[in-house]
């Protein structure tokens, strides 16, 4: 089996130690995620962003290690592994915040989450003409 090499390039020379973890089951929290990744080395931070509209997480999180070698070991062991019956996608975060394993999927997921949040903020009785009038107050509509 080949091992993952974690580069030290990018902006500056900081090693890539933050991992994107996708495919999280809805019941996984930061404590569970920390417990799953702690065997691979010392952790700086574990974060699972919460969708403020629903109060639930969006199925992904971030794990930051102290050392790049520990991050590489976590990728080698945790990518395509299962937690609570869900297959995890684990990769090094790029500068844009998405994982190196599939930046397109991460971008689509972020756009869909933003659209869902915006749509949830529109009241069910708001008509198109009312919404257009409100938006005009914010500036021109393109």
């Amino acid at each position: 089996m080949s091992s993952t090499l974690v580069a030290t390039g990018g902006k500056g020379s900081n090693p890539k130690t933050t991992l994107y973890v996708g495919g999280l089951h809805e019941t996984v929290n930061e404590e569970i995620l920390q417990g799953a990744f702690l065997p691979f080395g010392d952790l700086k931070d574990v974060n699972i962003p919460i969708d403020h509209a629903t109060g639930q997480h969006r199925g992904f999180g971030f794990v930051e290690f102290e050392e790049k070698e520990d991050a590489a070991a976590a990728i080698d062991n945790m990518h395509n592994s299962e937690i609570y019956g869900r297959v995890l996608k684990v990769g090094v975060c790029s500068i844009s915040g998405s994982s190196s394993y599939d930046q397109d999927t991460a971008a689509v997921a972020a756009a869909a989450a933003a659209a869902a949040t915006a749509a949830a903020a529109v009241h069910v009785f708001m008509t198109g003409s009312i919404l257009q009038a409100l938006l005009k107050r914010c500036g021109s509509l393109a």
Side-chain angles (χ1 to χ4, degrees):
M1 172 167 37
S2 65
S3 64
T4 301
L5 297 176
V6 179
T8 59
K11 285 189 175 180
S13 60
N14 294 331
K16 305 264 184 169
T17 57
T18 302
L19 305 182
Y20 167 87
V21 183
L24 297 178
H25 188 272
E26 59 196 26
T27 59
V28 172
N29 58 28
E30 290 177 356
E31 187 175 325
I32 292 168
L33 192 59
Q34 179 178 358
F37 282 83
L38 193 57
F40 304 104
D42 293 332
L43 301 176
K44 276 187 181 180
D45 188 38
V46 175
N47 183 306
I48 300 177
I50 300 297
D51 182 340
H52 296 289
T54 66
Q56 301 290 319
H57 68 71
R58 301 175 187 168
F60 66 90
F62 302 95
V63 177
E64 184 177 4
F65 284 90
E66 293 283 342
E67 303 292 330
K68 66 180 179 173
E69 295 81 11
D70 296 339
I75 293 169
D76 289 341
N77 289 281
M78 295 299 288
H79 181 66
N80 289 327
S81 67
E82 286 187 26
I83 292 183
Y84 288 23
R86 300 281 298 271
V87 177
L88 300 181
K89 299 295 182 187
V90 181
V92 177
C93 285
S94 68
I95 294 170
S96 66
S98 61
S99 143
S100 61
Y101 87 91
D102 192 352
Q103 293 180 352
D104 292 337
T105 300
V108 169
T117 301
V122 176
H123 192 277
V124 68
F125 296 114
M126 184 174 288
T127 65
S129 60
I130 295 172
L131 183 58
Q132 188 175 18
L134 290 171
L135 291 173
K136 282 185 178 180
R137 290 184 184 181
C138 298
S140 66
L141 296 175

